[in-house]
Amino acid sequence: MAQKEPINVCVTGAAGQIAYSLLPLICRGNVFGEDQPVNLHLLDITPMMGTVNGVIMELSDCAFELVNKIVATDDPMVAFKDCDAAMLVGAMPRREGMLRKDLLEKNAGIFKVQGAALDKVAKKTVRVVVVGNPANTNALVTSEFAPSIPKSQFTALTHLDQSRARAMVAERAGVNTSQVKNVIIWGNHSSTQYPDVEHAVIVSADGARTSVKKAVGDEAWLHGDFIKAVQTRGAAVIKARKLSSAMSAAKAVADHMHVWWHGTKEGEFTSMGVMTDGSKYGINAGIVFSMPVTIKDGVISVVEGLEISDFSRDKMRATEHELQQERETALKIVQ
């Protein structure tokens, strides 16, 4: 069988903690496939290029068979050249005590520059996932400055929140995480996000499906401590590590791009921050809002027709309001 042509994969913030955990997953084939060679484009700021070179040494020492070529650069125009996939990890990290508006001010300019570079040199089919926080609004800014690339090609990472929610449900229900399906993250990757299990199920070994609400049997927990725990998990990790999530974030980025590349399974959906058009679930147009989606042949489709309770509607409105405020703030910064 003839070997596939390598695809061009850009990872920004290549010297950082998330990239350090993410790059081996890419190089082993966990993201794009065990038979898919990759050309790695590693982007970071000039002062970090020495560290990036050290990362490249380690990648070389791993002798990954799928790595065709590695390009290290501090120039976005080089990094995004002919890219098939871009994982925008690099950003000013959130530190303990920082407010989201502080992150917005620090990071909006970074994503403006990267959006403009993507627009000029990346493939128009490039699949972009924004990881650097505030991820939803940074994805919006990136897309604003890449007008020739369809809005559908820009996503924000909420898979980490989905994984956190699935793990908490699994522990509570006494099942394996793999059995928990169709947890939804609505809205922002922030403390206003809404982890929704009203349509989630637990699938047994024989294929039987039980609603999470029935399996857990504690609606007060599902509507209270569970939601709060998922919403504040990032802050809890920072408090414990004195650093933001890295290993779990890298796994989530890999999972996000893997499902975008290979598609969702029948009867299952996943959560992604996607650009809204005003036609789904009453959410206003023009923000990047996490929703349940299915994916086939690289095309992301929002799951339609899910019944939304009054409880869920209130939670969704709160996170929508935050994203609208972030949008206004960010676009003022980058004008």
Side-chain angles (χ1 to χ4, degrees):
M1 183 185 296
Q3 188 180 46
K4 291 182 177 179
E5 283 295 311
I7 58 172
N8 298 321
V9 179
C10 180
V11 176
T12 75
Q17 288 196 101
I18 295 175
Y20 194 75
S21 292
L22 173 61
L23 288 168
L25 298 177
I26 297 171
C27 296
R28 290 186 66 178
N30 295 76
V31 180
F32 301 102
E34 295 181 358
D35 61 347
Q36 179 58 67
V38 295
N39 295 323
L40 289 178
H41 296 189
L42 306 183
L43 176 68
D44 216 310
I45 57 176
T46 306
M48 298 306 298
M49 293 312 294
T51 303
V52 174
N53 287 331
V55 171
I56 292 174
M57 290 179 197
E58 288 207 70
L59 290 173
S60 176
D61 293 346
C62 288
F64 289 115
E65 295 179 8
L66 292 175
V67 177
N68 182 63
K69 181 173 66 173
I70 302 177
V71 176
T73 182
D74 58 1
D75 184 352
M77 296 291 283
V78 174
F80 296 131
K81 178 68 174 173
D82 295 328
C83 255
D84 296 283
M87 305 174 184
L88 307 190
V89 178
M92 173 74 71
R94 181 183 174 192
R95 303 293 185 186
E96 192 169 1
M98 282 185 71
L99 301 176
R100 289 185 70 77
K101 68 177 184 179
D102 300 327
L103 279 179
L104 270 173
E105 291 174 359
K106 296 291 185 183
N107 287 326
I110 295 172
F111 290 91
K112 173 182 178 178
V113 170
Q114 293 186 358
L118 282 162
D119 191 63
K120 291 178 181 175
V121 299
K123 293 179 180 177
K124 302 310 175 188
T125 54
V126 64
R127 302 179 197 184
V128 181
V129 56
V130 176
V131 182
N133 282 318
N136 296 57
T137 300
N138 287 339
L140 173 71
V141 170
T142 308
S143 71
E144 284 284 318
F145 289 90
S148 70
I149 299 174
K151 299 292 187 188
S152 60
Q153 301 307 107
F154 293 90
T155 62
L157 182 74
T158 55
H159 199 104
L160 176 54
D161 308 298
Q162 177 181 286
S163 295
R164 289 165 170 166
R166 289 177 63 222
M168 290 180 196
V169 165
E171 182 178 8
R172 192 79 173 192
V175 300
N176 188 274
T177 309
S178 64
Q179 295 175 250
V180 182
K181 310 289 187 183
N182 295 350
V183 173
I184 300 169
I185 302 297
W186 297 100
N188 203 2
H189 174 64
S190 76
S191 60
T192 69
Q193 66 176 268
Y194 171 44
D196 175 11
V197 298
E198 294 193 8
H199 305 280
V201 295
I202 292 174
V203 181
S204 63
D206 62 3
R209 298 161 77 92
T210 305
S211 74
V212 163
K213 293 176 75 171
K214 182 178 179 180
V216 170
D218 188 345
E219 190 162 328
W221 179 77
L222 288 171
H223 281 184
D225 289 346
F226 163 70
I227 292 173
K228 183 178 180 181
V230 177
Q231 290 175 333
T232 60
R233 184 67 162 189
V237 171
I238 291 172
K239 185 175 182 180
R241 291 188 74 227
K242 310 305 177 188
L243 293 166
S244 57
S245 303
M247 177 173 54
S248 57
K251 171 65 162 50
V253 177
D255 289 345
H256 175 111
M257 194 60 79
H258 179 274
V259 74
W260 196 352
W261 215 259
H262 300 283
T264 48
K265 295 178 181 177
E266 187 69 29
E268 295 182 23
F269 43 77
T270 191
S271 298
M272 288 185 176
V274 295
M275 188 68 69
T276 58
D277 62 8
S279 68
K280 307 293 192 302
Y281 299 106
I283 303 301
N284 285 321
I287 55 176
V288 173
F289 192 93
S290 183
M291 291 191 176
V293 302
T294 57
I295 302 168
K296 184 175 182 180
D297 299 327
V299 177
I300 300 170
S301 302
V302 175
V303 176
E304 298 191 55
L306 297 176
E307 185 176 340
I308 305 298
S309 67
D310 290 341
F311 178 86
S312 294
R313 184 71 62 191
D314 287 344
K315 295 291 185 183
M316 291 162 67
R317 286 198 186 104
T319 194
E320 177 190 22
H321 179 66
E322 180 182 58
L323 281 167
Q324 288 174 314
Q325 288 184 317
E326 284 189 12
R327 180 182 187 275
E328 291 176 11
T329 301
L331 294 183
K332 285 179 183 177
I333 292 169
V334 296
Q335 279 179 353

